[in-house]
Amino acid sequence: MSKPQEQATERWSLEGRFQHLLHSPRGEVEGVMIDVEGIPVQFVFDKHAHDPGTRAFQALTAGQTVVAEGTLMAPPPKGEAPHEVFAFEQLVSIDGTAFTPDAAEREVRGRVARIHHARHGEPNGVVLDTGDFIHTRPDGYAQWGAGLEVGAEVTAAGPARPLQGGAAGQVIEARTVNGQPLADKPAR
């Protein structure tokens, strides 16, 4: 990794191995460390950004290969940092697969570990033994409830995004369950 010219607005694309999340004193995720050919590199998230790439890092395990883009930050006022620090711009790929935020169509398979309930108490999906949450909405659960009992084998497909809060797995907005389409969303 070479140093850029004195221009801090140059966007860099770096490939490395995810090491760990960095947290603020309040416990919020504020960045990540990756290892780029043996060199530690820090990416810092914008406090006000809700980029799906920042959420995706929360579902990673140490050692996964990532490609992230960012702009090199100026050195801190007290002198040089012990490693390069970049302002995070976007996550490009995870383990060689292009990262497409929130709209990526994914298929998951597993056994139903438990029924998931919406805030008002109605069943709205299931959590698989893989940790993935298949969100069917209450009307979709009513459509497929008999096939979604605990222990049942389930395959679901739909747009996916990582679960937040450090939980392993992803949430799938189910479009199909066991190969059959869910009824369209009701009008609101």
Side-chain angles (χ1 to χ4, degrees):
M1 182 171 64
S2 61
K3 294 236 182 210
Q5 280 40 4
E6 293 298 316
Q7 189 176 41
T9 58
E10 184 177 353
R11 190 172 186 144
W12 286 67
S13 182
L14 301 170
E15 180 175 358
R17 298 225 175 255
F18 172 72
Q19 299 299 300
H20 55 83
L21 299 172
L22 298 169
H23 295 89
S24 74
R26 291 183 302 245
E28 299 164 339
V29 176
E30 65 181 9
V32 297
M33 291 294 291
I34 66 172
D35 180 288
V36 178
E37 299 175 359
I39 301 169
V41 175
Q42 180 176 347
F43 280 91
V44 178
F45 303 145
D46 181 343
K47 290 180 186 178
H48 306 292
H50 298 287
D51 181 279
T54 62
R55 291 191 312 264
F57 279 107
Q58 295 180 42
L60 297 180
T61 56
Q64 286 186 274
T65 302
V66 296
V67 175
E69 291 185 350
T71 53
L72 188 63
M73 295 179 68
K78 295 180 181 178
E80 291 292 315
H83 53 262
E84 300 287 349
V85 179
F86 290 83
F88 177 78
E89 297 288 335
Q90 74 173 1
L91 182 59
V92 177
S93 68
I94 301 171
D95 290 333
T97 302
F99 176 74
T100 49
D102 291 340
E105 191 81 17
R106 299 258 164 64
E107 182 176 275
V108 294
R109 291 185 177 98
R111 288 193 181 279
V112 175
R114 63 184 164 86
I115 308 302
H116 190 276
H117 296 84
R119 288 159 67 124
H120 60 278
E122 198 170 4
N124 68 347
V126 295
V127 177
L128 302 180
D129 56 0
T130 60
D132 296 314
F133 167 35
I134 300 172
H135 183 233
T136 61
R137 301 177 320 277
D139 55 315
Y141 186 84
Q143 178 184 344
W144 288 103
L148 298 177
E149 64 272 354
V150 172
E153 285 281 335
V154 175
T155 301
R161 63 186 175 279
L163 290 169
Q164 294 186 14
Q170 47 195 335
V171 59
I172 308 297
E173 290 294 334
R175 290 192 178 148
T176 64
V177 173
N178 295 333
Q180 300 298 314
L182 286 172
D184 288 337
K185 284 184 178 179
R188 293 186 189 229

